[in-house]
Each structure stands twice: as C-alpha cells, then as structure tokens.
Amino acid sequence: MTIHHLDCASMCPLGGRLLLGSGGRLTGRMVAHCLVVESADGLILVDTGLGTGDIADPGRLGRGFLTMVRPQLSLASTALHQLRALGHRPQDVRHIVLTHLDVDHAGGLADFPDARVHVLADELRAARARATRGERDRYRPVQWAHGPRWVEHGSGGESWYGFQAVRPLAEASSDLLLVPLPGHTRGHSGVAVRDGEGWLLHCGDAYFSHTDIDPGAGRRPPGLRAFQRMVAVDDRARLHNQERLRALRREHGAEVRLICAHDPDEFDRAAG
C-alpha cells in the first residue's frame, strides 16, 4: 500500500525549546501527522487533524486549545484540501481510523461524511460522556455533530509484537491494525499499517517527541514531559505504554517504524 504523510494542523505553542526541545526561544513547532493510505478499496485516512469547519469557526476548538497550542488555521492544511491537491475526491476516503478523538485529531471528520470511522469503543464512550473537566475540554462534540458512520472496536484480537488486544480492521484492510495504547485518553490507540516488508506504527499521542522512545536522541524536554503528564487521563498507563514502545523500537526497530502525531522532526523525515 502507498502511504502519504500529511501535516493537517501546524501549531506554534508557547514555550519554544523548553517545551519541545526545538524551535525558537518563545514558540515551538508541532504538527498533526496524519496518514493517507491508498488501498484496493479506496483511501484510508489515519486521523484527520483540523477540518474546514474548524477553520471557518475557530471558536469551536475551545479557548484553551487556541491559547495554548496556537494552531495556524489554514484551509490549505486540512486533509480535505491536501487530498484534492493529490487528485482525490472526498468520497474516495472510504475509511477513517482514529488514534483518539481529541480536538486536533478528529476535526476533519465532517469533511468526509461517507467514510466509516473506526475507533476503540472505550474512546467513543469517553468522548460522548465527557465525564471530567479535562474531557470536556479535549472532546468537542460539534466536530462529529453530522453523525459519522461509527465502527466501534472492543478489546480482544490477536497478538502483535507482544501487544495484546490488537484488532485487525479486516473490513478496511488486512494490513491495518488497531493497537490499544491507553493512558493519554481512555481509549487511545496506535494504528499499524503494513509498509512493504515491515510496519509503520502511528502512535498518536502515546508519546510526543522522538526523545521519549529513543534513549540516544538526547535530553527529553522537561516542559513536554510535564505537559504529557498533565493531559493524560491515566498517567501510569501512559508511562507503561511508552516503556513498551521503547522496547518495541529497541527489539524490532528493523521491522516496525514508529511515528507519533506531533513531532515535527519525525514528520519531516517521513514526508521526505
């Protein structure tokens, strides 16, 4: 399968190098790393970034997100417009697979109303309930008010490189898997895509910087570590899964490449 890498929401949070380990003194750079997978059944979109509705009405993203993350709102950066630039139509997207439903991952759902939207059942349940203040901030129901064609996936399935409860999305592609990685949110998941002879694992927000999983990458930015801890719904589970991802990279790095949603260095390398 052919994989395209899209940045669907460039962001410039305050904090610069202290927060992200890169960028300027005052502001840093984050991306919304989404994937477009060309399959025999049409296009599969992994996460959506921000959508055209978010650009038209930024207020629906929430004041906290706009103030802290400072997204650079541009129609050209949306998945819809980038896919059109690649020669595709919105209806060519047959499936959307979500790592989770945070505001910067699910904003483009309404741009592809015909797609089937795959998500872990625990995540959709949490997004609908919005039981805590943090979940009321991170989940924005207006982004899915159009009524997506949800496909909920529960626990159970096969084992994949030591990760249990992996559910193949056979309806979308036999070469695409949901890999539960809870902690950042209740139903957070990675998405594994077979890439030639190996796999590409999109880890979503299970980590935010390559320094989180690569011991040789240098010092982990202290501000980013604090931010991840602050926004995690279960920090113990998040840290446990980061350790598992470090082991996966260490032991199977030749077979499985890891990327996350927001690291600009990872995105630049992957996008070429």
Side-chain angles (χ1 to χ4, degrees):
M1 295 190 293
T2 301
I3 301 175
H4 302 279
H5 298 263
L6 308 181
D7 175 7
C8 296
S10 293
M11 295 166 271
C12 299
L14 296 174
R17 286 190 294 270
L18 178 63
L19 176 64
L20 301 178
S22 62
R25 290 185 176 182
L26 298 180
T27 60
R29 177 190 170 210
M30 294 175 66
V31 300
H33 194 160
C34 302
L35 304 178
V36 179
V37 182
E38 296 185 14
S39 74
D41 189 38
L43 300 182
I44 303 168
L45 187 60
V46 178
D47 280 353
T48 70
L50 300 183
T52 58
D54 302 318
I55 309 304
D57 180 13
R60 74 185 206 161
L61 298 172
R63 182 179 300 176
F65 179 81
L66 292 172
T67 302
M68 292 181 60
V69 181
R70 302 175 69 240
Q72 306 303 289
L73 301 171
S74 165
L75 281 174
S77 70
T78 62
L80 176 65
H81 281 253
Q82 292 191 64
L83 285 173
R84 282 176 171 163
L86 291 171
H88 298 294
R89 305 168 301 164
Q91 53 266 42
D92 294 335
V93 176
R94 300 291 301 278
H95 300 273
I96 297 173
V97 186
L98 294 174
T99 61
H100 59 304
L101 278 160
D102 272 0
V103 60
D104 51 332
H105 294 256
L109 288 177
D111 292 331
F112 307 99
D114 298 327
R116 298 178 68 81
V117 181
H118 300 261
V119 65
L120 288 183
D122 286 346
E123 181 67 7
L124 186 56
R125 190 178 304 114
R128 286 169 167 164
R130 302 172 76 210
T132 67
R133 178 176 178 178
E135 288 171 318
R136 287 190 290 275
D137 288 338
R138 76 191 318 156
Y139 298 129
R140 313 300 290 189
V142 67
Q143 292 183 327
W144 54 85
H146 62 288
R149 300 172 63 196
W150 299 112
V151 182
E152 299 180 50
H153 296 271
S155 60
E158 63 190 56
S159 178
W160 181 82
Y161 290 100
F163 287 80
Q164 300 299 321
V166 175
R167 179 170 294 278
L169 302 184
E171 180 185 5
S173 170
S174 60
D175 292 331
L176 195 148
L177 309 172
L178 271 173
V179 183
L181 296 170
H184 178 70
T185 65
R186 299 178 195 274
H188 185 278
S189 176
V191 180
V193 185
R194 194 183 298 276
D195 182 16
E197 296 298 318
W199 291 86
L200 176 66
L201 177 60
H202 191 310
C203 300
D205 287 0
Y207 70 94
F208 273 63
S209 166
H210 61 280
T211 60
D212 288 324
I213 60 165
D214 182 1
R219 184 168 178 262
R220 297 169 66 194
L224 192 55
R225 280 186 291 163
F227 176 77
Q228 291 183 75
R229 184 169 58 250
M230 178 181 70
V231 299
V233 70
D234 184 342
D235 198 52
R236 179 176 296 181
R238 178 187 69 85
L239 291 172
H240 173 66
N241 280 316
Q242 279 195 4
E243 181 56 41
R244 298 173 73 205
L245 292 172
R246 281 192 284 272
L248 177 64
R249 188 185 188 281
R250 184 174 59 250
E251 298 167 10
H252 300 285
E255 305 158 64
V256 184
R257 293 187 297 122
L258 275 62
I259 59 172
C260 68
H262 298 306
D263 188 318
D265 294 328
E266 284 187 348
F267 175 79
D268 290 343
R269 286 194 297 268

